[in-house]
Amino acid sequence: MVQAYILIQTEVGRAAAVAEAIAAIPGVALAEDVTGPYDCIARVEAETVDELGKLVIAKIQEVEGITRTLTCTVVHV
């Protein structure tokens, strides 16, 4: 299982709606709107790195109101 945090910037005033839309996507374990340089943070899970990439590109980045994402893959050293 591959896990990652997706840091998301949104259009002004769209953070809550974006977090709600992302939370409904299969593979998203948690999505919340936050303060700081990013507007939302999502924790996602997929079986492979390829599936994770598809989840981010095909599902999450398609949510209306998102302007930029940054994927931070979880590593266990």
Side-chain angles (χ1 to χ4, degrees), residues 20-30 43-47 51-52 54-56 58-60 63:
E20 185 177 332
I22 290 171
I25 297 172
V28 175
L30 177 69
R43 183 172 174 113
V44 299
E45 301 175 341
E47 289 296 321
E51 286 182 20
L52 178 69
K54 290 175 187 173
L55 171 65
V56 173
K59 306 279 186 183
I60 292 175
V63 171

Side-chain angles (χ1 to χ4, degrees), residues 1-31:
M1 177 78 55
V2 179
Q3 300 173 326
Y5 287 95
I6 312 298
L7 308 178
I8 302 160
Q9 291 179 335
T10 69
E11 296 171 354
V12 175
R14 299 295 310 263
V18 166
E20 185 177 332
I22 290 171
I25 297 172
V28 175
L30 177 69

